[in-house]
Amino acid sequence: DIQMTQSPSSVSASVGDRVTITCRASQDISYWLAWYQQKPGKAPKLLIYAVSSLQSGVPSRFSGSGSGTDFSLTISSLQPEDSATYYCQQAKSFPYTFGQGTKLEIK
Amino acid sequence: EVQLVESGGDLVKPGGSLRLSCAASGLTFRNVWMSWVRQAPGKGLEWVGLINTIAAGGTTDSAAPLKDRFTISRDDSKDTLYLQMNGLKSDDTAVYYCVTGDFRGGMLRYFDYWGQGTLVTVSS
């Protein structure tokens, strides 16, 4: 199975800050990577797929980059509503696997 | 608007069985691949498995540790996805989400649409 490792596990930042979360795959997954946002008590929401394609309706302050084994999600100017847990997911091969999550708090 | 509504979650004893259902609307169900993802309390997301369309063979793929106990099926006449779970263990306690998404790269890869989830609790 492909292991997905996110860092950091948690991060605290202020409104307006630039925040980057990284995700590393245990093997080359090409561009088959997605990012999800989950708020407490809610289902996850797809933010970005295929490394950098923004899902419809997602604010442009979210962006993704990377290839192969190293990927990142960047929020260019943090907003209060971005407080959530973020997960990466590899879609290269079965079983699909997720990172362990990064909890983002607003200071 | 795509809607996925799960049902069937319950409190069940270890070793017991349960069948979850997911009623889909707002999409042409027979044309979409469907999947299940679960989340244990306070934990991360875990892919359970998926089923492709009947036209593509109706075949399934599941996480290896669950293959022997969990079965995914679909009834296109009812626009409904199922997850049959047998031999339940305490580790199976989780919210189970029904998910689907757009067809990319020849298959379901990313999960654009999620249900609200249904809670399965395995405890004596």
Side-chain angles (χ1 to χ4, degrees):
Chain A
D1 297 3
I2 299 173
Q3 306 303 315
M4 305 299 290
T5 304
Q6 287 181 232
S7 62
S9 296
S10 63
V11 59
S12 181
S14 300
V15 172
D17 282 355
R18 182 182 183 88
V19 173
T20 297
I21 298 168
T22 64
C23 178
R24 174 163 287 176
S26 61
Q27 59 185 265
D28 188 341
I29 60 170
S30 185
Y31 56 89
W32 297 111
L33 183 101
W35 291 95
Y36 299 85
Q37 175 193 66
Q38 186 178 33
K39 296 185 178 180
K42 300 291 189 183
K45 171 186 173 184
L46 178 64
L47 294 177
I48 288 172
Y49 62 93
V51 177
S52 59
S53 295
L54 206 62
Q55 178 72 335
S56 176
V58 174
S60 59
R61 63 180 180 273
F62 290 92
S63 64
S65 64
S67 66
T69 59
D70 293 306
F71 304 90
S72 62
L73 171 70
T74 298
I75 307 173
S76 60
S77 178
L78 196 62
Q79 298 302 303
E81 60 267 30
D82 299 336
S83 176
T85 300
Y86 293 83
Y87 295 93
C88 61
Q89 175 231 333
Q90 68 82 15
K92 174 74 161 52
S93 62
F94 299 141
Y96 293 153
T97 44
F98 293 87
Q100 80 279 15
T102 295
K103 186 173 184 178
L104 172 57
E105 274 186 351
I106 310 296
K107 284 181 187 172
Chain B
E1 178 194 2
V2 174
Q3 280 202 306
L4 303 172
V5 179
E6 303 95 336
S7 60
D10 205 349
L11 170 64
V12 60
K13 288 181 168 45
S17 297
L18 203 59
R19 188 177 81 159
L20 305 183
S21 301
C22 170
S25 61
L27 47 73
T28 306
F29 185 74
R30 66 178 182 274
N31 290 346
V32 298
W33 295 38
M34 298 293 298
S35 187
W36 291 96
V37 172
R38 70 180 183 179
Q39 186 170 36
K43 303 296 185 183
L45 302 170
E46 180 183 15
W47 181 74
V48 172
L50 64 67
I51 186 166
N52 64 16
T53 63
I54 298 301
T59 54
T60 62
D61 208 298
S62 302
L66 305 177
K67 269 187 200 309
D68 291 340
R69 300 187 296 118
F70 287 17
T71 302
I72 298 172
S73 61
R74 63 191 298 156
D75 185 341
D76 289 351
S77 70
K78 297 181 179 177
D79 291 352
T80 300
L81 175 73
Y82 301 103
L83 178 62
Q84 177 68 43
M85 303 183 292
N86 300 326
L88 283 162
K89 308 174 182 180
S90 58
D91 287 351
D92 296 319
T93 294
V95 173
Y96 286 74
Y97 293 103
C98 168
V99 298
T100 189
D102 293 343
F103 203 67
R104 299 182 177 95
M107 55 198 285
L108 174 63
R109 295 186 187 265
Y110 309 114
F111 309 127
D112 304 66
Y113 307 105
W114 295 67
Q116 85 287 354
T118 188
L119 177 63
V120 173
T121 303
V122 183
S123 173
S124 54

